[in-house]
Amino acid sequence: MVPVFPRWIWPWAGVLALMAGFVNAVAILATHEAATHLTGVATAATAAVALGNWPVAAILGLVALAFVIGAAMSGVLLRAPRWQSMRHVCVPFFLEAASLVVGGLLLDSYPTTGLTLCAFAVGIQNGTSTITTGALIRTSHVTGILTDLAVSLGQALQGRPWDRRRASVCGIVFGGFVIGALAGAWGFHRWGGLALLCPAGVAALVGLWHVHPKFAHAHIASATAQHGE
């Protein structure tokens, strides 16, 4: 069962998933490659190697490496205990915002560079959500989310106890990702790569939210498994 967690996690997870869905939709429409998860990237890279398509394999390898470096960067930057927010939690989001701004400016003219920056940005975000929630919530892809939802559904159909909190948060993350993907597709067809400035702005706002003294310090005392939901 997922433990009781602070109330701010609910909208936070939804917003992060929305950003990831937006970025992934833009990346796929611009380059035909995903940026938010490594399963498809690793499969496509392996297939490219098997077919001797080394340029494609090199590009996909670079995308995967960028995601991993981004996630590692979150591990370097974050020191807050699980479920708690401190001022320094803003840093990964500001770095994500900067990466998306540069990626948006370059995506149309230099798609490989833009895609790599998108993967780096989402790697930072996924690492941050993993650390902040103790790996219970990951916001960059929905395979695990749909698996958890399906398991909960199966348990409920059998009349067995099921984790309503996990199912609820998974529903929020999945809904946020889908809405973000819809918005990303609409934004790309309207503005091209510059659509990435939208999630960049949201990432910056999330960072500022963590900077705010009332948010950053009040939750040190209250954001524990014994307070809120």
Side-chain angles (χ1 to χ4, degrees), residues 18-28 35-36 96 100 118-119 122 180 196 199:
L18 187 148
M19 291 160 53
F22 194 113
V23 172
N24 202 42
V26 171
I28 288 175
T36 66
E96 178 183 5
L100 290 175
C118 286
V122 178
L196 289 175

Side-chain angles (χ1 to χ4, degrees), residues 68-163:
V68 170
I69 292 174
M73 186 68 68
S74 69
V76 171
L77 295 172
L78 295 180
R79 303 181 302 279
R82 185 173 64 169
W83 309 124
Q84 294 189 13
S85 174
M86 299 180 183
R87 285 184 183 275
H88 68 268
V89 178
C90 71
V91 178
F93 291 107
F94 290 150
L95 188 55
E96 178 183 5
S99 300
L100 290 175
V101 167
V102 178
L105 294 173
L106 297 177
L107 187 62
D108 293 331
S109 301
Y110 303 95
T112 298
T113 303
L115 176 63
T116 301
L117 287 167
C118 286
F120 175 77
V122 178
I124 293 174
Q125 177 183 300
N126 202 46
T128 299
S129 63
T130 298
I131 294 170
T132 302
T133 67
L136 287 175
I137 302 173
R138 298 182 182 183
T139 57
S140 73
H141 50 278
V142 296
T143 303
I145 295 298
L146 289 178
T147 300
D148 289 345
L149 281 172
V151 169
S152 296
L153 175 61
Q155 292 171 332
L157 291 174
Q158 287 293 317
R160 299 199 302 268
W162 56 287
D163 193 339

Side-chain angles (χ1 to χ4, degrees), residues 190-218:
R190 190 173 182 87
W191 301 302
L194 292 178
L196 289 175
L197 298 182
C198 295
V202 175
L205 289 175
V206 173
L208 289 173
W209 189 34
H210 283 280
V211 167
H212 194 283
K214 182 178 179 181
F215 179 81
H217 296 298

